[in-house]
Amino acid sequence: MASWAAIKDCFDKDRQHFVYLRVDPARVVGRAVDPAPAKAGVHYFRLWLADMHLSKEIAWMKELIPAVHSVIQLDFGGRPGLEIARIADTSALKAEEGATNIISRNRLLTPTLPFQGGTLAIQAGLLSLPGKNYLGGFLKTLSSFSMLLAAPQVSSVLALAAPLGEGIQELLSGDAGGRLHLGVLESCAADDLRSTYIAAIRATAGQIRPDSLWVVDDRLYTGNASDRAPLTGFDHMLLRLELFTERDDWDQLKSIAEPYAAMLDALGEGDRGRAESSLRQAIAAALKAPELTQADRRRVPEALKKRYVESLGALRLPALGDLGDEQHAAFSGADGAALGGASDVGLGALLRDVTPAEEAARQGELSLKEALAGI
């Protein structure tokens, strides 16, 4: 995608002005950072803007408009090197304007994405754009547009990726006058991909010693272990790359969550045929969801089938075979109470009692025949 090359060119031209480093986990206070490397098919990742500080020595919001961008390049859904871009203006970042600076903290830059192996490349940065032309309105449009690409079900909105990348490239074109003010460029294979903080500071190593930097409660500090203070006086941004195995957004994966909810509704009504059909739909969606790791494409069907069998037992429905007309009528008035409140149990809760992610990944891909066995 053209936006990747355009931003990289800006980064290469200006990186000599930056202090740029991964922060040592031993110098992070207030949040545990697991230094273990990512495992393909097991881990998810997402990128956060932990802290951004802009000094008003530059006339931000008057002469220049700040915008934070990110571009992730990864293997996704059988598409190697797919680029997923995002850009946010200050309103989308909910930046706080004080008497002396502009601050934004803990803003999500990417949706939850699976690491499927290969190389993960990350660009992120602060763009400075002229504030006295059409760019303000154009930037807001791109920012609103890019919010759609932050959806957990990212595969449903991938058609937006290319036009968004072209819009970011236009911001950086010579006519538009945009430039990279601060930037991060990382490329990681599995052995080097791990949870970390990445700092970029608009300063030279002579002005800020890299070995004086700390992260305290997701803010960049300078000093030593016994005497440190928040970094001020220099524009800077602090990114947090987070690795994890357990998603926290299951109910927003509609292709799975909606048929799962329909299954519970049908069971509550005693309609086993409709419940079984919804279960099959949820399992099939999980098996082909590119948003899931290989481990979760095995664990989710396992969890759904387990919940289905438990629900049949709670309602005293037979686990196999079809219900006769009289049996169907006997359960058709059920309101779901026999499920013990199960209709309120989200997908995330179901995964607490199934095979751990690393073990599931070792078992390999799950076939549709295997996933539907016993239903």
Side-chain angles (χ1 to χ4, degrees):
M1 189 184 296
S3 63
W4 181 274
I7 295 168
K8 185 178 184 301
D9 287 345
C10 291
F11 182 87
D12 289 340
K13 290 174 186 175
D14 228 10
R15 71 184 302 169
Q16 67 269 22
H17 299 297
F18 304 157
V19 169
Y20 173 75
L21 77 160
R22 289 193 185 190
V23 180
D24 185 338
R27 301 176 74 88
V28 176
V29 178
R31 187 189 293 274
V33 178
D34 186 352
K39 294 184 178 179
V42 175
H43 279 100
Y44 295 97
F45 70 91
R46 56 190 168 199
L47 187 68
W48 297 81
L49 177 65
D51 185 25
M52 180 183 74
H53 177 108
L54 303 180
S55 168
K56 284 198 172 178
E57 291 178 1
I58 296 177
W60 293 109
M61 311 305 298
K62 294 180 181 179
E63 295 179 10
L64 292 174
I65 301 171
V68 172
H69 86 279
S70 65
V71 185
I72 302 295
Q73 192 177 66
L74 75 164
D75 295 346
F76 182 84
R79 300 169 65 176
L82 178 69
E83 295 177 16
I84 300 177
R86 189 174 181 192
I87 191 165
D89 64 359
T90 50
S91 63
L93 290 167
K94 299 180 174 63
E96 308 162 16
E97 293 192 49
T100 59
N101 50 49
I102 298 174
I103 298 168
S104 184
R105 294 200 176 102
N106 284 318
R107 305 301 173 191
L108 189 61
L109 296 181
T110 68
T112 295
L113 293 166
F115 177 59
Q116 306 289 27
T119 299
L120 171 68
I122 298 169
Q123 289 182 359
L126 175 70
L127 308 180
S128 61
L129 308 168
K132 295 183 178 179
N133 57 25
Y134 79 100
L135 288 179
F138 183 47
L139 173 59
K140 283 189 176 294
T141 299
L142 287 180
S143 181
S144 298
F145 192 38
S146 74
M147 289 292 289
L148 298 173
L149 273 173
Q153 195 91 52
V154 68
S155 61
S156 65
V157 291
L158 283 182
L160 303 177
L164 180 59
E166 291 167 2
I168 294 173
Q169 182 190 14
E170 184 172 342
L171 290 177
L172 291 168
S173 69
D175 293 340
R179 68 183 182 88
L180 187 68
H181 188 70
L182 285 169
V184 168
L185 180 62
E186 291 276 316
S187 183
C188 310
D191 290 345
D192 197 38
L193 179 61
R194 59 196 71 214
S195 295
T196 189
Y197 284 88
I198 306 169
I201 307 169
R202 190 79 185 179
T204 66
Q207 295 171 304
I208 293 290
R209 288 184 17 247
D211 62 2
S212 73
L213 295 172
W214 296 73
V215 174
V216 179
D217 296 330
D218 289 339
R219 294 182 64 186
L220 203 54
Y221 276 57
T222 185
N224 55 50
S226 60
D227 182 18
R228 54 192 176 223
L231 177 64
T232 58
F234 298 96
D235 292 353
H236 61 266
M237 60 188 299
L238 179 68
L239 303 179
R240 176 164 62 94
L241 179 61
E242 177 189 18
L243 294 181
F244 51 98
T245 59
E246 305 296 331
R247 300 184 68 112
D248 58 7
D249 57 358
W250 285 106
D251 293 336
Q252 298 177 60
L253 295 178
K254 294 184 178 180
S255 66
I256 305 169
E258 289 180 353
Y260 167 63
M263 179 195 84
L264 294 179
D265 289 342
L267 285 172
E269 296 167 6
D271 188 341
R272 183 171 179 269
R274 185 160 58 89
E276 188 174 292
S277 176
S278 296
L279 172 62
R280 289 173 175 270
Q281 182 182 346
I283 288 174
L287 288 177
K288 66 181 182 181
E291 290 83 8
L292 301 188
T293 58
Q294 176 183 310
D296 276 346
R297 286 197 295 272
R298 175 174 286 275
R299 297 202 309 155
V300 172
E302 178 185 342
L304 291 168
K305 289 168 68 174
K306 181 178 179 181
R307 186 71 194 108
Y308 179 68
V309 171
E310 290 172 350
S311 300
L312 291 178
L315 291 169
R316 297 188 178 89
L317 293 176
L320 297 171
D322 295 324
L323 292 174
D325 291 340
E326 293 183 3
Q327 289 174 302
H328 187 280
F331 290 107
S332 62
D335 61 3
L339 297 178
S343 58
D344 296 325
V345 175
L347 281 170
L350 300 188
L351 293 173
R352 295 171 190 159
D353 299 322
V354 296
T355 306
E358 290 197 32
E359 182 180 338
R362 286 194 294 269
Q363 295 174 11
E365 292 283 354
L366 184 69
S367 69
L368 181 60
K369 180 179 180 180
E370 185 182 359
L372 297 177
I375 299 177

